[in-house]
């Protein structure tokens, strides 16, 4: 395209064709007007309308309009006033294939080619045929279509119409092309500005998102410049250091470091900036110390990252207050140490208990045999001494048992094995077991509940029996000759109440206030009554483990009532809700027919064997066979198929539980009644032994009454 000077040359001024010169001057004015419009207008539609108006007002054009392609058609989007009727209903097709120009008019050709299409004789141009009639009606003699571009794309055309032939020569085409170029530059500037504004909006949105993330972050985020001055200080940092963000901005980072650490911290930061430490330490957390506005020094974990160099360097510190974490670590370590100590204490006490129970079994067992020996009775003086030995031994056994139970509860190793059972059966067994103790102290036992009661309870019957035996024992011990101890049972909608009531010594309010202090016997430690001072402590802990409650009401010299309250079953038991009955004296149970049968005792301790042998000697119809290790015990069990097998749990060749498992795995011995007889009272071992198939688990020292009663139940009954 020829470059057209903006000012006519002298030759053009002196041209004989004055009309052509005037047209040229008109185009110059149009170009000048378009320059101003392109600078002032900031909207594409306004620019389209401006160029149409300028083309008609400042040039020889009689009509002008701008069309943009849309859906295969050229749609007029702006036009001069004189062209409104012309473009109304105007149809100009643009082929989908850019290479197809068949039946295309000037506008479509300019769009397809991206170059002006000049038509100096509109009525004789081959491509104007479809629009000649319309053009003639408006006096069109020549026309031109100039492509409008935005960036690299042709987006429309400027269409000009004239009432003269041969309007365009190269100079005039160049002038119009320049005017359209101004339009295109203005559109490009608008696109650039729009892109810039869009980029700014995106940047602002990202900045807002980043600021929101920084502000809502749980960790403190602090950014400093190359002079270590704070430029970002988020909300978490303000909360952690107790300094408002506006106060922190511009402050040196050292302000948030304890005075004694500032010099070392500053040197480390300088080294971080000056060396390659950034690549090695960036993002790696380190434990540091910070200082709050109130002077409190606290531990924190911090990591650092950097961006930029020189004066544009920014370093961001992400920090977290780990005070609570360190406290939790210390508490966890202390808890672990305490747990380890408790575990060690429990294991130690369990081992000591086992070692103490074995000799104590002999002491108590033979002392009882000597006291009850009718064939060679002791002298009264020796009988009194044996009684003292038995009292001391029983006291020692109680102390061992209660110390182990308290230790297990404190260490969380005491478990409750809840199951359904008939409560009144358990109450009767408690009274039956307590009969000898009551007879010894000349105390009458009474039951105050319906003899037909079949109330079922869901809790641990063994632990409940332990609780009630302890309470009944206390009621007997701290009573007076001729006194009574009554066991009562009541139920309401939600709870079952078991009351142990006596008319014994009672307690003062001062004594009741110290009732649950371990080893505190309330001033009775110097009396003749044996005790440990931890029985009630254990009782309360056991009742709590069973989701129950313990309450005590006592008056000096009037007696004491201890109430154990446990959750009631969902539905009332058969027999109605009335569980109470007039008190009845518990009559001692006489001996039944003596049992007979074979007892196999697997035990390596001769003393223990002798004790069991003498206990069974009261029943002439029983036969005792002894095996001293697990292997011989298994062989004897297969050969004899005894009525009851007593099994020690620590044998020289194998563990007792392994013997039990082998017995239960053998069809020839799986039905044997096996009772564990062991000096170990560890609940886990007891539970494992029961699970392996033991019918019961009896601990040493042997409880004579439980042993005799248990053997009587399991051995066949002899003849009268």
């Amino acid at each position: 395209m020829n470059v057209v000077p903006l000012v006519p040359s002298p030759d053009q001024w002196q041209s004989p064709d004055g009309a052509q010169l005037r047209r040229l001057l008109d185009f110059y004015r149009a170009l000048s007007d378009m320059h101003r419009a392109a600078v002032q207008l900031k909207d594409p539609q306004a620019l389209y309308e401006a160029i149409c108006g300028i083309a008609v007002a400042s040039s020889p054009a009689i009509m002008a309009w701008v069309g943009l392609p849309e859906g295969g058609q050229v749609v007029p989007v702006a036009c001069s006033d004189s062209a409104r009727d012309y473009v109304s209903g105007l149809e100009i097709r643009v082929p989908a294939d850019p290479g197809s120009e068949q039946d295309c008019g000037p506008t479509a050709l300019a769009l397809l080619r991206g170059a002006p299409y000049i038509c100096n004789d509109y009525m004789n141009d081959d491509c104007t045929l479809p629009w000649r009639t319309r053009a003639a009606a408006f006096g069109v003699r020549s026309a031109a279509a100039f492509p409008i571009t935005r960036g690299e794309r042709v987006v429309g055309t400027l269409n000009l119409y004239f009432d003269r032939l041969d309007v365009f020569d190269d100079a005039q085409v160049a002038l119009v092309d320049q005017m359209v170029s101004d339009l295109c530059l203005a559109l490009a500037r608008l696109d650039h500005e729009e892109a810039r504004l869009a980029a700014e909006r995106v940047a602002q949105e990202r900045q807002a998102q980043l600021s929101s993330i920084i502000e809502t972050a749980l960790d403190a985020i602090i950014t400093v410049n190359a002079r270590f001055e704070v430029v970002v200080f988020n909300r978490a940092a303000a909360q952690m250091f107790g300094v408002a963000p506006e106060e922190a901005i511009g402050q040196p980072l050292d302000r948030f470091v304890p005075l004694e650490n500032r010099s070392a911290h500053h040197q480390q930061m300088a080294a971080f900036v000056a060396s390659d430490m950034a690549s090695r330490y960036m993002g790696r957390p380190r434990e540091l110390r910070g200082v709050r506005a109130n002077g409190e020094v606290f531990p924190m974990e911090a990591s650092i990252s950097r961006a930029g160099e020189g004066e544009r360097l920014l370093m961001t510190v992400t920090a977290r207050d780990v005070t609570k974490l360190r406290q939790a670590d210390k508490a966890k370590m202390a808890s672990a140490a305490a747990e380890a100590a408790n575990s060690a204490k429990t294991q130690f006490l369990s081992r000591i208990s086992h070692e103490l129970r074995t000799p104590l079994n002999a002491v108590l067992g033979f002392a009882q045999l000597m006291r009850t020996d009718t064939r060679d009775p002791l002298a009264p003086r020796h009988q009194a001494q044996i009684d003292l030995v038995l009292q001391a031994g029983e006291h020692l056994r109680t102390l061992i048992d209660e110390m182990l139970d308290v230790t297990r509860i404190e260490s969380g190793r005491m478990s409750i094995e809840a199951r359904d059972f008939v409560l009144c059966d358990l109450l009767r067994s408690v009274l039956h077991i307590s009969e000898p103790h009551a007879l010894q102290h000349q105390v009458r036992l009474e039951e105050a509940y319906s003899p037909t009661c079949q109330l079922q309870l869901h809790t641990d019957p063994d632990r409940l029996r332990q609780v009630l035996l302890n309470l009944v024992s206390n009621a007997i011990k701290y009573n007076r000759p001729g006194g009574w101890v009554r066991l009562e049972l009541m139920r309401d909608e939600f709870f079952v109440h078991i009351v142990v009531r006596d008319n014994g010594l009672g307690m003062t309010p001062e004594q009741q206030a110290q009732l649950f202090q371990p080893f505190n016997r309330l001033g009775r430690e110097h009396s003749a009554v044996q005790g440990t001072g931890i029985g009630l402590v254990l009782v309360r802990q056991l009742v709590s483990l069973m989701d129950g409650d313990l309450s005590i009401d006592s008056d000096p010299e009037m007696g004491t009532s201890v109430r154990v309250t446990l959750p009631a079953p969902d539905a009332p038991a058969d027999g109605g809700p009335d569980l109470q009955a007039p008190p009845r004296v518990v009559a001692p149970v006489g001996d039944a027919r003596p049992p007979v049968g074979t007892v196999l005792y697997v035990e390596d301790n001769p003393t223990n064997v002798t004790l069991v042998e003498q206990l069974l000697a009261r029943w002439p119809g029983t036969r005792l066979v002894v095996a001293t290790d697990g292997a011989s015990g298994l062989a004897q069990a297969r050969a004899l198929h005894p009525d009851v097998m007593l099994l020690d749990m620590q044998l020289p060749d194998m563990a007792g539980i392994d013997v039990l498992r082998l017995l239960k795995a053998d069809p020839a011995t799986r039905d044997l009644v096996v009772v564990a007889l062991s000096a170990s009272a560890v609940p886990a071992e007891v539970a494992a032994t029961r699970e392996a198939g033991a019918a019961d688990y009896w601990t040493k020292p042997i409880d004579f009454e439980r042993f005799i009663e248990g053997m009587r139940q399991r051995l066949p009954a002899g003849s009268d």
Side-chain angles (χ1 to χ4, degrees), residues 185-200:
L185 288 173
L187 291 173
R189 283 196 299 271
L190 292 179
D191 290 342
H192 177 75
E193 182 66 15
E194 184 177 344
R196 185 186 66 79
L197 292 175
E200 286 184 357

Side-chain angles (χ1 to χ4, degrees), residues 1 98 101 104-119 127 143-149 152-160 173-174 176-178 180-181 184:
M1 183 179 294
E101 297 183 355
C104 288
T107 300
L109 291 172
L111 284 171
L112 295 174
R113 298 173 181 176
Y117 186 89
I118 306 301
C119 181
C127 69
F146 290 82
I148 300 172
T149 60
E152 301 297 326
R153 295 184 304 114
V154 177
V155 298
T157 58
L158 171 64
N159 302 280
L160 301 177
V173 169
V176 177
D177 204 15
Q178 184 66 47
V180 174
S181 295
C184 295

Side-chain angles (χ1 to χ4, degrees), residues 248-460:
I249 301 299
Q251 295 293 314
L253 183 62
D254 288 346
R255 172 180 174 177
F256 307 105
V257 178
L259 185 61
E260 62 271 22
N261 301 121
R262 288 181 184 175
S263 177
H265 180 263
H266 190 85
Q267 292 176 5
Q268 191 170 13
M269 288 289 291
F272 178 82
V273 173
S275 68
D276 62 347
M277 290 176 65
S279 61
R280 298 200 307 269
Y281 292 101
M282 187 174 292
R284 185 182 302 176
R286 299 179 57 225
E287 186 158 322
L288 304 171
R289 297 201 307 160
V291 60
R292 307 190 207 277
N294 61 4
E296 177 189 354
V297 177
F298 64 96
M300 62 181 182
E301 283 186 353
S303 60
I304 187 169
S305 60
R306 61 182 290 171
E309 296 293 339
E311 286 299 315
R312 301 183 65 182
L313 174 67
L314 292 175
M315 292 171 287
T316 298
V317 177
T318 303
R320 177 177 300 174
D321 186 343
V322 295
T323 301
K324 292 183 179 180
L325 182 62
R326 295 295 170 262
Q327 291 172 347
D329 288 343
K330 290 181 180 179
K332 186 176 180 181
M333 292 175 62
S335 176
E339 185 176 349
N342 279 333
S343 177
K345 180 176 69 173
T346 301
Q347 292 176 8
F348 172 75
L349 288 174
S350 297
R351 288 195 298 269
I352 290 297
S353 168
H354 183 273
E355 297 303 320
L356 289 175
R357 285 173 185 274
T358 299
L360 188 58
N361 183 47
V363 171
L364 289 176
F366 287 110
Q368 290 180 79
L369 290 173
M370 291 173 66
R371 187 177 67 176
T372 58
D373 190 349
T374 57
R375 290 180 299 178
D376 189 12
L378 295 172
R381 180 169 59 88
H382 293 156
Q383 183 75 38
Q385 292 172 346
I386 285 295
D387 288 344
L388 292 175
V389 171
L390 286 170
Q391 290 178 13
E394 289 294 342
H395 178 61
L396 180 57
R397 178 168 65 177
T398 302
L399 179 61
I400 292 170
D401 291 342
E402 292 181 347
M403 281 294 297
L404 278 175
D405 283 341
V406 170
T407 301
R408 292 183 191 121
I409 291 174
E410 290 177 347
S411 63
R413 290 183 172 85
M414 177 71 80
S415 60
I416 294 297
E417 298 179 8
R419 58 184 185 271
D420 292 330
F421 61 95
V422 178
L423 178 57
C424 291
D425 291 347
L426 184 144
L427 298 182
R428 280 190 285 272
S429 73
V430 168
L431 291 174
H432 178 66
I433 293 171
S434 303
E435 286 172 14
H437 191 200
L439 289 172
Q440 181 184 355
H441 286 77
Q442 302 176 42
V443 173
R444 186 175 69 255
L445 296 180
E446 298 178 352
E447 54 183 357
Y449 48 86
S450 172
T452 61
C453 163
Q454 293 298 311
L455 173 68
Q456 283 201 337
L457 206 60
H458 185 78
T459 188
D460 190 325

Side-chain angles (χ1 to χ4, degrees), residues 218-234:
L218 297 178
D219 291 339
I221 298 176
I222 305 171
T223 300
V224 297
N225 58 23
R227 296 180 296 278
F228 305 149
E229 296 169 342
V230 175
V231 295
V232 173
F233 199 81
N234 74 341

